Amino acid sequence: MRSARPTHHDAARRRLLRSLVAAVAAIGLATPAMAEGPWQRLDAARNVLGDAEPATQGLVLDLPHVSEDGASVALSVGFDGELADDDYISRIDLFATANPSPEIATFHLTPLSGKPEIATRVRLNETQQVIAIATSHQGERFATAREVRITVSGCLMRNGSDQPEPLSNPRVSVPTRFSPGQPEAVRTLINHPMETGLREGADGEIVPRHIIERFTVSLNGETAFEAELHQSISASPYLLFYLSPEESGEAVFEWQDDSGNSARHEAAIETS
Amino acid sequence: MSHTELVVWSAVLIGLCFGATGQATGFCLMRGLANSWTLGDNRKLRSFVLAMAVALLGSQALAAAGLVSLQDSLYANPAPSWLAIPLGGALFGYGMTLANGCGARALVLLGSGNLRSFVVLTCLGLAAYMALSGVLATPRIWLEGMTTLALPAHDLPEAIGAPAWLVALILGSALLAWVFSSATFRTSPRDWLGGLIIGILIPAGWYATGVLGHDDFEPVRLASLTFIAPIGESLQYLMLSTGTRLGFGVSVVGGVFVGALAMALLRRDFTLRAFDGPRQMLRSMAGGTLMGIGGVMALGCSIGQGLSGMSTLALTAFAALAGIVVGARLGIVGPLALSKN
C-alpha cells in the first residue's frame, strides 16, 4: 500500500521524468535542422542548389528497392507538385551518392517538352542514395532521394561478348501524330558501350573512357529537350521523355559522344 | 497489355501446366534415377529423357526458325568455371536425394499439402541467394574466378562445327528411340504424357521471353524454366513486392504451386504431411541448402540445366547434368547414401 506522502523515490522519479521530457524536446527541436536531405552532403548536388533550400514535395523518383544488376537499374523521375502558371521545370539533375563519379545526367527541358518526366537506365556501383534535383524556369527548386540496394557492382562491366558498333542502330519510338497541348512519350535507344574508363580489359589494361555526352532533340530547328550524359548512364543509353510540339514538321534526334562522333535520326511529326 | 505483362501471364500459364502435370504424373528426375538404380524400373527416367528430347527438338526448332537466339541464354556462357559447374551439379544431385526431389518437385509436393517441402523450398531459396549475392557470394565468385576456362565454343554444334538443327535432330531422335524402346513405358500414358507436356513447356518458355518479351527498348531477359534463383526470388518478391516487379521466373514458380494445388484438390490427393522426426527435418534442410548452393554454382537445376540448358545444347549443360547424375548416384546407391528412417 503506497503512503500518501511523497517519498524520496517519488521526487527522484519526477526529476528523471523532467529530464527525459527535456531531452526528447531538445531532440524534437533539433530534428528539423538534422532533417536536411542527402543533397546537402554531396558537393556536386550543392553546386546545383547553390544557397537555395529545395522543397522536398513534388519531385518523384522511382527506383527499385533492390537491384541485382547494378549495371542497368531502371530509373524514372517525374513531377507532380505545384508551379506558377507560366513556370515550368527547366532542369533536372540526377546524382548517385556513392558512385566513383556522382553525376548521372542533367536534363534540360523547354515548354516544348510538355511534361517533366524522364526515364532511363543507370549504373549504380553499390547500395546508395540516388538524388534528383529539379529547377524551374523561375528558380524554384525541388529535391528528392531514394535508396537502392545493389547486390552486384555496376560500374565494372563483366561481359566479354561482342560489343555492337558505338552509335549504331538508333531506335526512336515517337508518335507521328500529336494533339496540341497533349504531351506524348518518346523512347530512344542507341548502341554504345558507355565505357567508364574504370574497367580493366581482357589484356589487363584499363579500357579508356568512351561515352555519349550529349543527346539533343529539336523540333523544327528549335531545341526541345537536351540531355547531358555521364558515365553512370547504362550501356546503350535508353531515354524516355515527353514532347509537345506546337506545329507539324520535323523532329531531329542527335547523339554526340566524346570522341567527336555523332548519330542522327529524323522523324516527321504532325500536330492536328 | 505491355510486353512485360504478356510475359508474366505466359509464365503463369506455363507454371500452371507444369504444376498440374507434375502433380498428376509424379514427374521427377530423382525418382526416375532412384527407381532405375534400386528397382530396375526406368519408366520415370524415360519420362525425364522424353521431356529432354521434346525440349531439345522444340527449342532448336524455334532457333532454326530465327525466332530466338539460344546463344544469348545464360547457359551458353563461353567462359564458365570448370570446377563450379560439375561440382555444383554434384552438390545439387546429392541434395536432391536428401530432399526427396528437386526444387520443382518440392513446389509440386507443397501444392499437394506436403509441408516438408516448405522447409526444403525455404532452405533452397535462402541458400541460393546466399550464394548468388549474399554471405557465400564472395567465396563463390572467388572460386569461379580462379577456375575460369575459356571454351572454344558456346555449345555443342559450334564445338563440333555442325549446324545446330542437325545435331538436335540426331540427338533428339536417338533419345526418343531409347525412350520408346520399352513396352512398359509405351503403355504407361501417365509417364509419356508427363514427359511430353513438360518437354513442350521449355520451348514455350523461350518463346514467352524471347518472342513475346521482345522489345526494342526494354527487352525481357531470355530464359526458360529453372527453379533455383526463381525460388529465392519468389521469397524476396513476397517480402519486397512494393519495390520490385514480377518477372518470368517468379511467375512460373507461383503458377507451379497453384497448378499443383488445383490438381491435388481436383484429384482429392491433397494431404497435409509433416516430418516424422528431427532427423528427417535435418535431411530436408540439408538437401534444400545443397540444392540452392549447387544449383547456383551449376547455373541451374535438374529442370534448369537438365531440360532448359540441354535444349540449347550449351556445353555447360552437359557438364552440369553429368554432375547432377553423379551426385544423385552418390546419394541413392553410392557411399553417401543415408538409410531411410
mmCIF file of all heavy atoms in Angstrom, chain A residues 37-54 91 93-97 102-106 129-135 141-145:
data_model
loop_
_atom_site.group_PDB
_atom_site.id
_atom_site.type_symbol
_atom_site.label_atom_id
_atom_site.label_comp_id
_atom_site.label_asym_id
_atom_site.label_seq_id
_atom_site.Cartn_x
_atom_site.Cartn_y
_atom_site.Cartn_z
ATOM 1 N N GLY A 37 18.415 16.945 -46.475
ATOM 2 C CA GLY A 37 18.487 15.764 -47.301
ATOM 3 C C GLY A 37 19.925 15.420 -47.641
ATOM 4 O O GLY A 37 20.841 16.191 -47.383
ATOM 5 N N PRO A 38 20.101 14.240 -48.259
ATOM 6 C CA PRO A 38 21.451 13.839 -48.664
ATOM 7 C C PRO A 38 22.063 14.789 -49.684
ATOM 8 O O PRO A 38 23.290 14.779 -49.879
ATOM 9 C CB PRO A 38 21.232 12.449 -49.279
ATOM 10 C CG PRO A 38 19.784 12.338 -49.546
ATOM 11 C CD PRO A 38 19.095 13.229 -48.580
ATOM 12 N N TRP A 39 21.217 15.644 -50.342
ATOM 13 C CA TRP A 39 21.777 16.591 -51.300
ATOM 14 C C TRP A 39 22.642 17.656 -50.630
ATOM 15 O O TRP A 39 23.487 18.264 -51.264
ATOM 16 C CB TRP A 39 20.650 17.267 -52.102
ATOM 17 C CG TRP A 39 19.485 17.698 -51.273
ATOM 18 C CD1 TRP A 39 19.327 18.862 -50.600
ATOM 19 C CD2 TRP A 39 18.314 16.930 -51.028
ATOM 20 N NE1 TRP A 39 18.133 18.891 -49.950
ATOM 21 C CE2 TRP A 39 17.470 17.704 -50.182
ATOM 22 C CE3 TRP A 39 17.869 15.671 -51.420
ATOM 23 C CZ2 TRP A 39 16.239 17.271 -49.727
ATOM 24 C CZ3 TRP A 39 16.636 15.232 -50.967
ATOM 25 C CH2 TRP A 39 15.830 16.022 -50.132
ATOM 26 N N GLN A 40 22.434 17.876 -49.322
ATOM 27 C CA GLN A 40 23.279 18.857 -48.643
ATOM 28 C C GLN A 40 24.667 18.308 -48.412
ATOM 29 O O GLN A 40 25.611 19.062 -48.168
ATOM 30 C CB GLN A 40 22.666 19.229 -47.284
ATOM 31 C CG GLN A 40 21.211 19.660 -47.337
ATOM 32 C CD GLN A 40 21.038 21.044 -47.897
ATOM 33 O OE1 GLN A 40 21.921 21.556 -48.591
ATOM 34 N NE2 GLN A 40 19.904 21.656 -47.631
ATOM 35 N N ARG A 41 24.785 16.967 -48.449
ATOM 36 C CA ARG A 41 26.084 16.381 -48.107
ATOM 37 C C ARG A 41 26.899 16.052 -49.357
ATOM 38 O O ARG A 41 28.023 15.586 -49.246
ATOM 39 C CB ARG A 41 25.869 15.109 -47.278
ATOM 40 C CG ARG A 41 25.253 15.392 -45.913
ATOM 41 C CD ARG A 41 25.308 14.163 -45.039
ATOM 42 N NE ARG A 41 24.383 13.120 -45.466
ATOM 43 C CZ ARG A 41 23.122 13.053 -45.095
ATOM 44 N NH1 ARG A 41 22.611 13.966 -44.298
ATOM 45 N NH2 ARG A 41 22.354 12.072 -45.521
ATOM 46 N N LEU A 42 26.318 16.245 -50.539
ATOM 47 C CA LEU A 42 27.035 15.913 -51.772
ATOM 48 C C LEU A 42 27.444 17.211 -52.455
ATOM 49 O O LEU A 42 26.607 18.030 -52.806
ATOM 50 C CB LEU A 42 26.129 15.071 -52.683
ATOM 51 C CG LEU A 42 26.761 14.517 -53.937
ATOM 52 C CD1 LEU A 42 27.784 13.438 -53.611
ATOM 53 C CD2 LEU A 42 25.699 13.939 -54.858
ATOM 54 N N ASP A 43 28.731 17.396 -52.664
ATOM 55 C CA ASP A 43 29.241 18.639 -53.270
ATOM 56 C C ASP A 43 28.594 18.939 -54.608
ATOM 57 O O ASP A 43 28.160 20.061 -54.875
ATOM 58 C CB ASP A 43 30.765 18.533 -53.473
ATOM 59 C CG ASP A 43 31.484 18.719 -52.158
ATOM 60 O OD1 ASP A 43 30.862 19.256 -51.216
ATOM 61 O OD2 ASP A 43 32.664 18.328 -52.077
ATOM 62 N N ALA A 44 28.543 17.923 -55.472
ATOM 63 C CA ALA A 44 28.014 18.140 -56.821
ATOM 64 C C ALA A 44 26.571 18.621 -56.760
ATOM 65 O O ALA A 44 26.148 19.462 -57.550
ATOM 66 C CB ALA A 44 28.118 16.836 -57.626
ATOM 67 N N ALA A 45 25.806 18.063 -55.814
ATOM 68 C CA ALA A 45 24.403 18.477 -55.694
ATOM 69 C C ALA A 45 24.305 19.888 -55.126
ATOM 70 O O ALA A 45 23.489 20.700 -55.561
ATOM 71 C CB ALA A 45 23.648 17.499 -54.806
ATOM 72 N N ARG A 46 25.170 20.198 -54.157
ATOM 73 C CA ARG A 46 25.144 21.546 -53.560
ATOM 74 C C ARG A 46 25.486 22.596 -54.603
ATOM 75 O O ARG A 46 24.972 23.707 -54.576
ATOM 76 C CB ARG A 46 26.120 21.628 -52.384
ATOM 77 C CG ARG A 46 25.539 21.151 -51.074
ATOM 78 C CD ARG A 46 26.101 21.938 -49.912
ATOM 79 N NE ARG A 46 27.550 21.977 -49.918
ATOM 80 C CZ ARG A 46 28.319 21.044 -49.362
ATOM 81 N NH1 ARG A 46 27.772 20.034 -48.739
ATOM 82 N NH2 ARG A 46 29.626 21.143 -49.415
ATOM 83 N N ASN A 47 26.360 22.251 -55.565
ATOM 84 C CA ASN A 47 26.703 23.212 -56.623
ATOM 85 C C ASN A 47 25.475 23.588 -57.434
ATOM 86 O O ASN A 47 25.323 24.728 -57.866
ATOM 87 C CB ASN A 47 27.768 22.626 -57.557
ATOM 88 C CG ASN A 47 29.112 22.515 -56.858
ATOM 89 O OD1 ASN A 47 29.332 23.168 -55.839
ATOM 90 N ND2 ASN A 47 29.992 21.692 -57.402
ATOM 91 N N VAL A 48 24.605 22.612 -57.666
ATOM 92 C CA VAL A 48 23.400 22.900 -58.442
ATOM 93 C C VAL A 48 22.405 23.703 -57.609
ATOM 94 O O VAL A 48 21.748 24.613 -58.107
ATOM 95 C CB VAL A 48 22.751 21.570 -58.913
ATOM 96 C CG1 VAL A 48 21.391 21.833 -59.522
ATOM 97 C CG2 VAL A 48 23.643 20.862 -59.899
ATOM 98 N N LEU A 49 22.323 23.379 -56.330
ATOM 99 C CA LEU A 49 21.340 24.053 -55.483
ATOM 100 C C LEU A 49 21.766 25.463 -55.109
ATOM 101 O O LEU A 49 20.928 26.326 -54.885
ATOM 102 C CB LEU A 49 21.129 23.250 -54.190
ATOM 103 C CG LEU A 49 20.259 22.019 -54.285
ATOM 104 C CD1 LEU A 49 20.263 21.284 -52.949
ATOM 105 C CD2 LEU A 49 18.845 22.384 -54.660
ATOM 106 N N GLY A 50 23.053 25.663 -54.994
ATOM 107 C CA GLY A 50 23.514 26.964 -54.520
ATOM 108 C C GLY A 50 23.129 27.137 -53.061
ATOM 109 O O GLY A 50 23.319 26.243 -52.244
ATOM 110 N N ASP A 51 22.539 28.291 -52.721
ATOM 111 C CA ASP A 51 22.117 28.534 -51.341
ATOM 112 C C ASP A 51 20.667 28.146 -51.125
ATOM 113 O O ASP A 51 20.164 28.185 -50.019
ATOM 114 C CB ASP A 51 22.251 30.031 -50.999
ATOM 115 C CG ASP A 51 23.713 30.439 -50.980
ATOM 116 O OD1 ASP A 51 24.532 29.624 -50.537
ATOM 117 O OD2 ASP A 51 24.015 31.558 -51.438
ATOM 118 N N ALA A 52 19.971 27.790 -52.204
ATOM 119 C CA ALA A 52 18.525 27.565 -52.102
ATOM 120 C C ALA A 52 18.210 26.320 -51.280
ATOM 121 O O ALA A 52 18.946 25.344 -51.293
ATOM 122 C CB ALA A 52 17.930 27.428 -53.498
ATOM 123 N N GLU A 53 17.108 26.418 -50.526
ATOM 124 C CA GLU A 53 16.597 25.295 -49.755
ATOM 125 C C GLU A 53 15.499 24.654 -50.598
ATOM 126 O O GLU A 53 14.452 25.253 -50.800
ATOM 127 C CB GLU A 53 16.020 25.842 -48.439
ATOM 128 C CG GLU A 53 15.512 24.791 -47.478
ATOM 129 C CD GLU A 53 16.637 24.074 -46.726
ATOM 130 O OE1 GLU A 53 17.632 24.751 -46.391
ATOM 131 O OE2 GLU A 53 16.521 22.877 -46.492
ATOM 132 N N PRO A 54 15.729 23.441 -51.119
ATOM 133 C CA PRO A 54 14.730 22.897 -52.038
ATOM 134 C C PRO A 54 13.499 22.374 -51.306
ATOM 135 O O PRO A 54 13.571 21.950 -50.153
ATOM 136 C CB PRO A 54 15.482 21.741 -52.698
ATOM 137 C CG PRO A 54 16.476 21.319 -51.678
ATOM 138 C CD PRO A 54 16.855 22.536 -50.896
ATOM 139 N N ARG A 91 15.036 22.101 -65.654
ATOM 140 C CA ARG A 91 16.280 21.332 -65.497
ATOM 141 C C ARG A 91 16.098 20.276 -64.427
ATOM 142 O O ARG A 91 15.529 20.524 -63.377
ATOM 143 C CB ARG A 91 17.382 22.314 -65.096
ATOM 144 C CG ARG A 91 18.710 21.668 -64.895
ATOM 145 C CD ARG A 91 19.722 22.694 -64.437
ATOM 146 N NE ARG A 91 20.890 22.029 -63.933
ATOM 147 C CZ ARG A 91 22.150 22.376 -64.192
ATOM 148 N NH1 ARG A 91 22.393 23.433 -64.948
ATOM 149 N NH2 ARG A 91 23.160 21.698 -63.696
ATOM 150 N N ASP A 93 18.519 17.332 -62.468
ATOM 151 C CA ASP A 93 19.849 16.736 -62.280
ATOM 152 C C ASP A 93 19.724 15.443 -61.485
ATOM 153 O O ASP A 93 18.942 15.379 -60.542
ATOM 154 C CB ASP A 93 20.755 17.697 -61.485
ATOM 155 C CG ASP A 93 21.141 18.926 -62.272
ATOM 156 O OD1 ASP A 93 20.365 19.904 -62.260
ATOM 157 O OD2 ASP A 93 22.216 18.895 -62.899
ATOM 158 N N LEU A 94 20.487 14.446 -61.861
ATOM 159 C CA LEU A 94 20.486 13.164 -61.139
ATOM 160 C C LEU A 94 21.878 12.873 -60.616
ATOM 161 O O LEU A 94 22.862 13.080 -61.324
ATOM 162 C CB LEU A 94 20.060 12.018 -62.059
ATOM 163 C CG LEU A 94 18.637 12.056 -62.609
ATOM 164 C CD1 LEU A 94 18.446 10.961 -63.646
ATOM 165 C CD2 LEU A 94 17.638 11.895 -61.480
ATOM 166 N N PHE A 95 21.939 12.402 -59.367
ATOM 167 C CA PHE A 95 23.230 12.073 -58.755
ATOM 168 C C PHE A 95 23.172 10.711 -58.097
ATOM 169 O O PHE A 95 22.146 10.317 -57.545
ATOM 170 C CB PHE A 95 23.590 13.110 -57.678
ATOM 171 C CG PHE A 95 23.674 14.509 -58.194
ATOM 172 C CD1 PHE A 95 22.576 15.352 -58.097
ATOM 173 C CD2 PHE A 95 24.841 15.000 -58.783
ATOM 174 C CE1 PHE A 95 22.635 16.655 -58.579
ATOM 175 C CE2 PHE A 95 24.908 16.297 -59.266
ATOM 176 C CZ PHE A 95 23.804 17.127 -59.169
ATOM 177 N N ALA A 96 24.319 10.018 -58.130
ATOM 178 C CA ALA A 96 24.468 8.762 -57.409
ATOM 179 C C ALA A 96 25.516 9.008 -56.339
ATOM 180 O O ALA A 96 26.687 9.202 -56.635
ATOM 181 C CB ALA A 96 24.935 7.664 -58.358
ATOM 182 N N THR A 97 25.099 9.020 -55.055
ATOM 183 C CA THR A 97 25.978 9.494 -53.998
ATOM 184 C C THR A 97 27.250 8.677 -53.839
ATOM 185 O O THR A 97 28.268 9.209 -53.432
ATOM 186 C CB THR A 97 25.242 9.524 -52.646
ATOM 187 O OG1 THR A 97 24.644 8.230 -52.454
ATOM 188 C CG2 THR A 97 24.158 10.570 -52.624
ATOM 189 N N PRO A 102 29.757 11.055 -59.122
ATOM 190 C CA PRO A 102 28.342 11.089 -58.737
ATOM 191 C C PRO A 102 27.348 11.603 -59.773
ATOM 192 O O PRO A 102 26.182 11.271 -59.708
ATOM 193 C CB PRO A 102 28.333 11.981 -57.489
ATOM 194 C CG PRO A 102 29.578 12.772 -57.556
ATOM 195 C CD PRO A 102 30.567 11.981 -58.312
ATOM 196 N N GLU A 103 27.817 12.419 -60.752
ATOM 197 C CA GLU A 103 26.828 12.956 -61.710
ATOM 198 C C GLU A 103 26.332 11.847 -62.626
ATOM 199 O O GLU A 103 27.126 11.155 -63.256
ATOM 200 C CB GLU A 103 27.445 14.057 -62.574
ATOM 201 C CG GLU A 103 27.751 15.326 -61.828
ATOM 202 C CD GLU A 103 29.197 15.385 -61.391
ATOM 203 O OE1 GLU A 103 29.852 14.318 -61.370
ATOM 204 O OE2 GLU A 103 29.682 16.477 -61.079
ATOM 205 N N ILE A 104 25.022 11.691 -62.699
ATOM 206 C CA ILE A 104 24.453 10.708 -63.621
ATOM 207 C C ILE A 104 24.101 11.405 -64.926
ATOM 208 O O ILE A 104 24.526 10.994 -66.011
ATOM 209 C CB ILE A 104 23.192 10.040 -63.027
ATOM 210 C CG1 ILE A 104 23.555 9.239 -61.780
ATOM 211 C CG2 ILE A 104 22.527 9.140 -64.057
ATOM 212 C CD1 ILE A 104 22.361 8.628 -61.075
ATOM 213 N N ALA A 105 23.278 12.452 -64.839
ATOM 214 C CA ALA A 105 22.862 13.171 -66.051
ATOM 215 C C ALA A 105 22.232 14.488 -65.652
ATOM 216 O O ALA A 105 21.808 14.681 -64.503
ATOM 217 C CB ALA A 105 21.844 12.344 -66.842
ATOM 218 N N THR A 106 22.183 15.407 -66.615
ATOM 219 C CA THR A 106 21.436 16.657 -66.456
ATOM 220 C C THR A 106 20.514 16.784 -67.649
ATOM 221 O O THR A 106 20.961 16.648 -68.796
ATOM 222 C CB THR A 106 22.391 17.864 -66.426
ATOM 223 O OG1 THR A 106 23.302 17.703 -65.353
ATOM 224 C CG2 THR A 106 21.614 19.143 -66.237
ATOM 225 N N GLN A 129 22.174 6.165 -52.036
ATOM 226 C CA GLN A 129 21.052 7.053 -52.300
ATOM 227 C C GLN A 129 21.211 7.638 -53.698
ATOM 228 O O GLN A 129 22.301 8.029 -54.093
ATOM 229 C CB GLN A 129 21.075 8.221 -51.305
ATOM 230 C CG GLN A 129 20.933 7.815 -49.874
ATOM 231 C CD GLN A 129 19.563 8.167 -49.352
ATOM 232 O OE1 GLN A 129 18.631 8.289 -50.120
ATOM 233 N NE2 GLN A 129 19.464 8.338 -48.051
ATOM 234 N N VAL A 130 20.104 7.697 -54.449
ATOM 235 C CA VAL A 130 20.100 8.410 -55.718
ATOM 236 C C VAL A 130 19.333 9.704 -55.477
ATOM 237 O O VAL A 130 18.266 9.689 -54.869
ATOM 238 C CB VAL A 130 19.425 7.574 -56.828
ATOM 239 C CG1 VAL A 130 19.314 8.373 -58.117
ATOM 240 C CG2 VAL A 130 20.220 6.301 -57.066
ATOM 241 N N ILE A 131 19.902 10.821 -55.921
ATOM 242 C CA ILE A 131 19.306 12.127 -55.664
ATOM 243 C C ILE A 131 18.816 12.738 -56.971
ATOM 244 O O ILE A 131 19.493 12.637 -57.995
ATOM 245 C CB ILE A 131 20.351 13.080 -55.049
ATOM 246 C CG1 ILE A 131 20.800 12.555 -53.692
ATOM 247 C CG2 ILE A 131 19.784 14.491 -54.894
ATOM 248 C CD1 ILE A 131 21.980 13.317 -53.141
ATOM 249 N N ALA A 132 17.645 13.359 -56.934
ATOM 250 C CA ALA A 132 17.161 14.118 -58.086
ATOM 251 C C ALA A 132 16.896 15.542 -57.626
ATOM 252 O O ALA A 132 16.342 15.760 -56.549
ATOM 253 C CB ALA A 132 15.878 13.500 -58.627
ATOM 254 N N ILE A 133 17.322 16.503 -58.433
ATOM 255 C CA ILE A 133 17.072 17.916 -58.129
ATOM 256 C C ILE A 133 16.436 18.541 -59.356
ATOM 257 O O ILE A 133 16.960 18.414 -60.466
ATOM 258 C CB ILE A 133 18.383 18.651 -57.791
ATOM 259 C CG1 ILE A 133 18.997 18.032 -56.540
ATOM 260 C CG2 ILE A 133 18.112 20.132 -57.571
ATOM 261 C CD1 ILE A 133 20.302 18.660 -56.146
ATOM 262 N N ALA A 134 15.304 19.191 -59.172
ATOM 263 C CA ALA A 134 14.637 19.858 -60.282
ATOM 264 C C ALA A 134 14.679 21.355 -60.059
ATOM 265 O O ALA A 134 14.506 21.831 -58.931
ATOM 266 C CB ALA A 134 13.185 19.390 -60.391
ATOM 267 N N THR A 135 14.917 22.078 -61.125
ATOM 268 C CA THR A 135 14.939 23.545 -61.063
ATOM 269 C C THR A 135 13.907 24.057 -62.049
ATOM 270 O O THR A 135 13.866 23.615 -63.197
ATOM 271 C CB THR A 135 16.327 24.085 -61.474
ATOM 272 O OG1 THR A 135 17.327 23.354 -60.782
ATOM 273 C CG2 THR A 135 16.448 25.558 -61.148
ATOM 274 N N ARG A 141 13.177 25.356 -56.550
ATOM 275 C CA ARG A 141 13.980 24.132 -56.531
ATOM 276 C C ARG A 141 13.294 23.028 -55.752
ATOM 277 O O ARG A 141 12.676 23.275 -54.718
ATOM 278 C CB ARG A 141 15.346 24.435 -55.925
ATOM 279 C CG ARG A 141 16.249 25.159 -56.908
ATOM 280 C CD ARG A 141 17.609 25.402 -56.295
ATOM 281 N NE ARG A 141 18.593 25.779 -57.262
ATOM 282 C CZ ARG A 141 18.658 26.981 -57.842
ATOM 283 N NH1 ARG A 141 17.754 27.897 -57.552
ATOM 284 N NH2 ARG A 141 19.612 27.236 -58.712
ATOM 285 N N PHE A 142 13.407 21.823 -56.285
ATOM 286 C CA PHE A 142 12.813 20.653 -55.648
ATOM 287 C C PHE A 142 13.874 19.568 -55.585
ATOM 288 O O PHE A 142 14.701 19.449 -56.479
ATOM 289 C CB PHE A 142 11.617 20.143 -56.455
ATOM 290 C CG PHE A 142 10.572 21.193 -56.689
ATOM 291 C CD1 PHE A 142 10.677 22.082 -57.752
ATOM 292 C CD2 PHE A 142 9.487 21.306 -55.837
ATOM 293 C CE1 PHE A 142 9.726 23.063 -57.961
ATOM 294 C CE2 PHE A 142 8.528 22.276 -56.047
ATOM 295 C CZ PHE A 142 8.650 23.165 -57.107
ATOM 296 N N ALA A 143 13.809 18.770 -54.523
ATOM 297 C CA ALA A 143 14.798 17.693 -54.410
ATOM 298 C C ALA A 143 14.149 16.469 -53.788
ATOM 299 O O ALA A 143 13.195 16.569 -53.025
ATOM 300 C CB ALA A 143 15.981 18.143 -53.550
ATOM 301 N N THR A 144 14.660 15.313 -54.126
ATOM 302 C CA THR A 144 14.201 14.074 -53.515
ATOM 303 C C THR A 144 15.311 13.040 -53.634
ATOM 304 O O THR A 144 16.244 13.209 -54.427
ATOM 305 C CB THR A 144 12.885 13.571 -54.165
ATOM 306 O OG1 THR A 144 12.416 12.446 -53.431
ATOM 307 C CG2 THR A 144 13.128 13.152 -55.601
ATOM 308 N N ALA A 145 15.208 12.006 -52.830
ATOM 309 C CA ALA A 145 16.236 10.968 -52.872
ATOM 310 C C ALA A 145 15.596 9.612 -52.635
ATOM 311 O O ALA A 145 14.556 9.520 -51.996
ATOM 312 C CB ALA A 145 17.295 11.233 -51.796
#
